[in-house]
Amino acid sequence: MKKLILIGGSGFVGTRLIDLIGSENCLNIDKRHSSKYDQITTIFDIRDNYLEDVLPEDAETIILLAAEHRDDVTPVSLYFDVNVEGTRKVLEAMDKRFIKNIIFTSSAAVYGLNKNNPDENFDLDPWSQYGKSKYLAENLLIDWQKKDPQNRSLTIVRSAVIFGENNRGNVYNLLQQIASGKFLMIGEGNNKKSMGYVGNVAAFICYCSERIAPGFTIINYADKPDLSMNELILQVEMSLNKRLLPLHIPFWMGQIGGICFDLISVITRVKFPITAERIKKFCATTQLDASKAHNNGFKIPYTLSEGLDRTLKNEFGEMMK
């Protein structure tokens, strides 16, 4: 079996992916050590030159997971240094090693906020710097594939927000606030969110890696059905056996609070879990049409409810007793 090369596989998605692929069948290249698979990890930053020197000769397919994706990154130029220029350097290294297959994890952020359940043909309208950088990276990849369309394979997976065990992103922050009893709903809570459990996302990427063929495809990924924020909170309350006060504050009030935290952060250089951008994202509808992913033979290992339960038990098990 030709080895799969994960670039950026030390994170929580990459770790779950290696669990499925098997460490004997892949190599991880990351700027950080892997907590579980360090024996197959080579330390390298994709912003640096000469990536080709650490790619093995039997490499056949690259799975590019590496990205700058937090929504409080400073300076914002890091999004473009890593997500765009880093992708360019990966493609240059692939050409030098004659590697013709790549799977790229993009994001639903390329569609923008409050869109009507966009499918893969929907016009792109990224509003965040992260989304813009992913959009530019996709363009680089598509141009690369078109230069040798008969031999090169490109799969772009545009995922909804990913959550799961050992992740410390926005979904974790939300679950932590609910578990601690310090959560306060901003807005009406009727806005729906597409989400993807890490176990399902990793399984889908693995599924794609087994179906490499010349050409390029773009696939949205999210677990269905989508939940509104009110429905999500209700599910989490049931899992944690907690009840929150049914209090809602208006969006405008929450946004002012987020701006205040942003100003304090600038002055103190301390990052806070509450920001104006996170509040805007929290109150926005971010649905994604993922019918293409689920109608081509892929079977999800876990339901969305099971993914939430597994995450909550792993992260907040003591609070559930």
Side-chain angles (χ1 to χ4, degrees), residues 195-213:
M195 306 167 66
Y197 173 57
V198 63
N200 292 336
V201 175
F204 184 70
I205 295 171
C206 186
Y207 178 85
C208 292
S209 73
E210 296 167 350
R211 287 157 178 79
I212 297 294

Side-chain angles (χ1 to χ4, degrees), residues 179 238-242 312-321:
M238 292 173 61
S239 292
L240 292 175
N241 194 27
K242 284 180 175 287
L312 290 163
K313 288 174 182 176
N314 181 79
E315 302 293 351
F316 311 108
E318 290 300 317
M319 297 182 184
M320 299 171 67
K321 294 179 181 178

Side-chain angles (χ1 to χ4, degrees), residues 5-6 17 46 56-57 71 99 120 126 140 154 230 243 248 258 282 317-318:
I5 309 302
L6 278 65
L17 188 54
I46 60 172
E57 292 184 359
D71 53 19
I99 301 171
E120 292 82 358
L140 285 177
L154 167 63
N230 287 327
R243 292 297 296 171
H248 293 247
F282 176 86
E318 290 300 317

Side-chain angles (χ1 to χ4, degrees), residues 134-201:
K134 282 293 193 179
Y135 166 75
L136 293 174
E138 285 190 13
N139 287 340
L140 285 177
L141 288 152
I142 292 170
D143 288 343
W144 170 84
Q145 193 277 333
K146 287 181 177 178
K147 290 177 182 177
D148 189 6
Q150 302 304 315
N151 295 298
R152 291 177 174 175
S153 172
L154 167 63
T155 301
I156 295 174
V157 179
R158 291 176 179 160
S159 176
V161 62
I162 304 173
F163 73 95
E165 300 92 329
N166 304 314
N167 176 247
R168 293 297 179 266
N170 289 342
V171 176
Y172 171 82
N173 292 332
L174 170 64
L175 299 180
Q176 184 183 49
Q177 289 173 23
I178 298 171
S180 67
K182 298 178 181 178
F183 175 77
L184 187 62
M185 176 69 79
I186 300 174
E188 294 298 321
N190 296 321
N191 54 308
K192 290 197 171 184
K193 300 284 187 184
S194 289
M195 306 167 66
Y197 173 57
V198 63
N200 292 336
V201 175

Side-chain angles (χ1 to χ4, degrees), residues 81-115:
D81 292 342
V82 176
N83 301 347
V84 183
E85 295 308 314
T87 297
R88 189 191 309 276
K89 290 189 175 183
V90 168
L91 292 174
E92 290 172 353
M94 288 175 61
D95 287 346
K96 291 174 182 177
R97 282 293 190 185
F98 305 102
I99 301 171
K100 298 186 180 297
N101 308 318
I102 184 168
I103 297 172
F104 177 72
T105 52
S106 188
S107 167
V110 298
Y111 295 115
L113 297 178
N114 296 311
K115 304 301 180 182

